[in-house]
Short mmCIF file of all heavy atoms in Angstrom, two decimals:
data_model
loop_
_atom_site.label_atom_id
_atom_site.label_comp_id
_atom_site.label_asym_id
_atom_site.label_seq_id
_atom_site.Cartn_x
_atom_site.Cartn_y
_atom_site.Cartn_z
N LEU A 281 9.53 2.22 -14.04
CA LEU A 281 10.43 2.11 -15.10
C LEU A 281 11.90 2.19 -14.73
O LEU A 281 12.73 1.45 -15.23
CB LEU A 281 10.05 3.05 -16.28
CG LEU A 281 8.78 2.71 -17.05
CD1 LEU A 281 8.51 3.83 -18.13
CD2 LEU A 281 8.96 1.34 -17.73
N ALA A 282 12.16 3.18 -13.87
CA ALA A 282 13.57 3.39 -13.47
C ALA A 282 14.10 2.10 -12.87
O ALA A 282 15.24 1.65 -13.25
CB ALA A 282 13.71 4.57 -12.58
N HIS A 283 13.36 1.56 -11.95
CA HIS A 283 13.81 0.35 -11.24
C HIS A 283 13.95 -0.82 -12.18
O HIS A 283 14.91 -1.58 -12.14
CB HIS A 283 12.81 0.01 -10.08
CG HIS A 283 13.18 -1.08 -9.23
ND1 HIS A 283 13.98 -0.90 -8.15
CD2 HIS A 283 12.96 -2.40 -9.28
CE1 HIS A 283 14.19 -2.03 -7.55
NE2 HIS A 283 13.52 -3.02 -8.19
N ILE A 284 13.02 -0.93 -13.06
CA ILE A 284 12.99 -2.08 -14.07
C ILE A 284 14.23 -1.91 -14.97
O ILE A 284 14.94 -2.86 -15.27
CB ILE A 284 11.69 -2.10 -14.87
CG1 ILE A 284 10.55 -2.53 -13.95
CG2 ILE A 284 11.88 -3.15 -16.03
CD1 ILE A 284 9.19 -2.38 -14.52
N ALA A 285 14.44 -0.65 -15.48
CA ALA A 285 15.63 -0.47 -16.36
C ALA A 285 16.89 -0.81 -15.66
O ALA A 285 17.79 -1.43 -16.24
CB ALA A 285 15.61 1.00 -16.85
N GLU A 286 16.96 -0.48 -14.40
CA GLU A 286 18.24 -0.68 -13.70
C GLU A 286 18.39 -2.18 -13.29
O GLU A 286 19.54 -2.70 -13.33
CB GLU A 286 18.22 0.22 -12.43
CG GLU A 286 19.57 0.14 -11.78
CD GLU A 286 19.71 1.06 -10.48
OE1 GLU A 286 18.79 1.89 -10.32
OE2 GLU A 286 20.64 0.98 -9.73
N HIS A 287 17.36 -2.82 -12.92
CA HIS A 287 17.55 -4.13 -12.28
C HIS A 287 17.13 -5.38 -13.16
O HIS A 287 17.47 -6.47 -12.79
CB HIS A 287 16.67 -4.23 -10.99
CG HIS A 287 17.24 -3.28 -9.92
ND1 HIS A 287 18.41 -3.46 -9.23
CD2 HIS A 287 16.75 -2.03 -9.51
CE1 HIS A 287 18.62 -2.40 -8.45
NE2 HIS A 287 17.63 -1.57 -8.63
N ALA A 288 16.25 -5.15 -14.18
CA ALA A 288 15.79 -6.37 -14.91
C ALA A 288 16.76 -6.95 -15.86
O ALA A 288 16.78 -8.14 -16.12
CB ALA A 288 14.48 -6.07 -15.70
N GLY A 289 17.66 -6.11 -16.36
CA GLY A 289 18.73 -6.63 -17.21
C GLY A 289 18.48 -6.71 -18.68
O GLY A 289 19.09 -7.49 -19.43
N TYR A 290 17.47 -5.98 -19.19
CA TYR A 290 17.11 -5.96 -20.61
C TYR A 290 17.74 -4.84 -21.38
O TYR A 290 18.00 -3.79 -20.76
CB TYR A 290 15.54 -5.97 -20.76
CG TYR A 290 14.97 -7.38 -20.33
CD1 TYR A 290 14.87 -7.66 -18.97
CD2 TYR A 290 14.64 -8.36 -21.25
CE1 TYR A 290 14.41 -8.88 -18.50
CE2 TYR A 290 14.21 -9.56 -20.80
CZ TYR A 290 14.05 -9.80 -19.49
OH TYR A 290 13.57 -11.04 -19.08
N ASP A 291 17.88 -4.98 -22.65
CA ASP A 291 18.48 -3.86 -23.50
C ASP A 291 17.41 -2.95 -23.84
O ASP A 291 17.65 -1.70 -24.05
CB ASP A 291 19.00 -4.56 -24.77
CG ASP A 291 20.03 -5.61 -24.53
OD1 ASP A 291 21.19 -5.30 -24.19
OD2 ASP A 291 19.67 -6.79 -24.67
N VAL A 292 16.14 -3.42 -23.96
CA VAL A 292 15.04 -2.58 -24.42
C VAL A 292 13.87 -2.76 -23.49
O VAL A 292 13.58 -3.85 -23.08
CB VAL A 292 14.60 -2.93 -25.82
CG1 VAL A 292 13.56 -2.00 -26.46
CG2 VAL A 292 15.72 -3.04 -26.88
N ILE A 293 13.20 -1.66 -23.16
CA ILE A 293 11.98 -1.67 -22.36
C ILE A 293 10.77 -1.22 -23.22
O ILE A 293 10.95 -0.12 -23.75
CB ILE A 293 12.11 -0.93 -21.08
CG1 ILE A 293 13.23 -1.28 -20.24
CG2 ILE A 293 10.79 -0.99 -20.27
CD1 ILE A 293 13.24 -2.64 -19.64
N GLY A 294 9.77 -2.04 -23.28
CA GLY A 294 8.57 -1.65 -24.11
C GLY A 294 7.64 -0.98 -23.16
O GLY A 294 7.42 -1.38 -22.08
N ILE A 295 7.10 0.15 -23.66
CA ILE A 295 6.21 0.95 -22.77
C ILE A 295 4.79 1.04 -23.39
O ILE A 295 4.68 1.08 -24.65
CB ILE A 295 6.76 2.39 -22.46
CG1 ILE A 295 7.06 3.16 -23.73
CG2 ILE A 295 7.97 2.24 -21.60
CD1 ILE A 295 7.49 4.60 -23.45
N ASP A 296 3.76 1.15 -22.59
CA ASP A 296 2.44 1.34 -23.12
C ASP A 296 2.20 2.81 -23.25
O ASP A 296 3.05 3.69 -23.06
CB ASP A 296 1.42 0.69 -22.13
CG ASP A 296 1.39 1.24 -20.76
OD1 ASP A 296 1.63 2.44 -20.64
OD2 ASP A 296 1.19 0.50 -19.79
N TRP A 297 0.99 3.16 -23.59
CA TRP A 297 0.70 4.55 -23.95
C TRP A 297 0.37 5.48 -22.76
O TRP A 297 0.10 6.62 -22.84
CB TRP A 297 -0.48 4.65 -24.91
CG TRP A 297 -1.77 3.96 -24.35
CD1 TRP A 297 -2.74 4.61 -23.54
CD2 TRP A 297 -2.09 2.59 -24.36
NE1 TRP A 297 -3.61 3.67 -23.14
CE2 TRP A 297 -3.27 2.45 -23.65
CE3 TRP A 297 -1.51 1.47 -24.93
CZ2 TRP A 297 -3.90 1.16 -23.46
CZ3 TRP A 297 -2.11 0.19 -24.84
CH2 TRP A 297 -3.32 0.09 -24.10
N CYS A 298 0.35 4.81 -21.49
CA CYS A 298 -0.03 5.63 -20.31
C CYS A 298 1.09 6.50 -19.70
O CYS A 298 1.00 6.95 -18.62
CB CYS A 298 -0.62 4.68 -19.28
SG CYS A 298 -2.12 3.96 -19.94
#
Side-chain angles (χ1 to χ4, degrees):
L281 284 179
H283 187 85
I284 293 171
E286 189 177 347
H287 297 284
Y290 289 76
D291 306 283
V292 185
I293 304 294
I295 54 174
D296 64 33
W297 59 90
C298 296

